[in-house]
Amino acid sequence: MKKRNITEFQILSEIVRKQPHVKQKEIAEVLGITVQGVSEHIRNLLKKDYIKSRGRGEYVLTDKGMRALKTWISEFKNYLNDVNQDIYRYKEIWPAIAYEDLKEGDEVYLFMKKGHLYASKFNKSDSTAKVVEGGKKGEDIAITDITGMIEIKKGKVIILKIPPKVKGGSQNVDYGLIKNIIDENKDAVIASMGTISYVVSKKLGINPDIRFAVHEGVVSACNRGCDVIALITGKMTEKIVKVLDKNKISYTVLDTAKNTDE
């Protein structure tokens, strides 16, 4: 992430906040750079067609500039999340879940399972630690002296496309198909998006783990190593597929409609 690009997107953000009356001096004070520096960046933003001038120091974002800013904000959030995880590794004491009974002083291996950090004396991995507070199997314990990298393999997503009301809704769903997929992926996180998908999940006796901010929740679960089964209503499927493609997450889409001709 180049410093110049960060500064330009900071300037775009300031223009959004203060448009159309934007004083370069105010931007310079906020960003801690010179007015000349701000002026140079603004000229570059004009060349890129990210902003346009209305004269007398009035600048507004173009559609191209707004798209670029939204993309940068998304990428910057991911960058900050990665940095935050790196910082977290430097904590002296970490919580983990005991994979079997563990006691103080045990040397353990670390691994991720269903988005949680586990410690075990027998399940070998590239990361090790020392137990400072033990516990029974399944209990939370405290570990320290972490070495190596904790491997987190991205999870995958099975998207179960639920027919919208105009195509039969919950009355036109192959419940056997959904139940079989869930039974075959018992450790998967369940997500539900859309009213009909929620109705279908309740008919199956399922309480979805993710119901709100579904796009972000599914990506976050996969990044923590969890597989996800997502019940998505109709055309909402297209939106979540775009998010998964953007985040390079593998997925399969299955249509659950019994009758696709309705």
Side-chain angles (χ1 to χ4, degrees), residues 229-248:
I229 296 174
L231 283 70
I232 310 294
T233 305
K235 291 185 177 180
M236 294 180 186
T237 301
E238 299 170 11
K239 294 181 180 179
I240 200 160
V241 162
K242 287 181 181 178
V243 173
L244 297 177
D245 283 335
K246 182 179 178 181
N247 287 274
K248 299 179 180 179

Side-chain angles (χ1 to χ4, degrees), residues 144-181:
T144 191
D145 296 339
I146 295 176
T147 62
M149 294 295 293
I150 302 170
E151 182 181 0
I152 303 177
K153 185 179 180 181
K154 269 190 178 183
K156 60 183 183 298
V157 182
I158 299 176
I159 299 173
L160 300 178
K161 187 176 180 180
I162 307 298
K165 193 62 183 174
V166 294
K167 292 188 176 181
S170 64
Q171 304 302 314
N172 186 30
V173 170
D174 186 343
Y175 288 93
L177 171 65
I178 298 176
K179 189 174 185 305
N180 287 339
I181 290 171

Side-chain angles (χ1 to χ4, degrees), residues 48-59:
K48 291 180 177 180
D49 193 31
Y50 284 176
I51 61 174
K52 60 184 177 181
S53 172
R54 292 181 175 176
R56 296 184 179 181
E58 291 190 4
Y59 298 98

Side-chain angles (χ1 to χ4, degrees), residues 39-201:
S39 179
E40 179 186 346
H41 285 298
I42 284 181
R43 285 196 298 271
N44 196 43
L45 291 170
L46 287 166
K47 288 180 182 178
K48 291 180 177 180
D49 193 31
Y50 284 176
I51 61 174
K52 60 184 177 181
S53 172
R54 292 181 175 176
R56 296 184 179 181
E58 291 190 4
Y59 298 98
V60 293
L61 263 69
T62 63
D63 289 341
K64 182 179 179 181
M66 186 61 74
R67 289 194 300 271
L69 182 59
K70 288 180 178 179
T71 299
W72 178 77
I73 290 172
S74 176
E75 291 175 349
F76 195 59
K77 282 181 179 178
N78 292 336
Y79 172 74
L80 289 178
N81 286 336
D82 289 342
V83 171
N84 189 50
Q85 288 180 8
D86 288 337
I87 291 174
Y88 195 64
R89 292 192 183 101
Y90 288 94
K91 289 177 61 175
E92 291 184 2
I93 303 295
W94 275 53
I97 299 173
Y99 197 66
E100 65 269 340
D101 292 355
L102 297 172
K103 64 182 184 300
E104 181 181 347
D106 280 342
E107 299 289 338
V108 293
Y109 298 100
L110 305 176
F111 61 94
M112 297 293 292
K113 182 180 179 182
K114 292 192 69 175
H116 297 293
L117 181 65
Y118 280 80
S120 171
K121 290 186 292 185
F122 311 111
N123 285 35
K124 293 187 176 182
S125 71
D126 293 332
S127 181
T128 61
K130 184 177 181 179
V131 177
V132 292
E133 182 181 321
K136 298 288 186 181
K137 178 180 179 180
E139 291 184 342
D140 54 302
I141 61 171
I143 56 175
T144 191
D145 296 339
I146 295 176
T147 62
M149 294 295 293
I150 302 170
E151 182 181 0
I152 303 177
K153 185 179 180 181
K154 269 190 178 183
K156 60 183 183 298
V157 182
I158 299 176
I159 299 173
L160 300 178
K161 187 176 180 180
I162 307 298
K165 193 62 183 174
V166 294
K167 292 188 176 181
S170 64
Q171 304 302 314
N172 186 30
V173 170
D174 186 343
Y175 288 93
L177 171 65
I178 298 176
K179 189 174 185 305
N180 287 339
I181 290 171
I182 291 175
D183 288 344
E184 291 170 2
N185 299 272
K186 292 185 181 296
D187 288 338
V189 171
I190 307 296
S192 171
M193 187 174 184
T195 301
I196 297 172
S197 292
Y198 181 68
V199 170
V200 169
S201 68

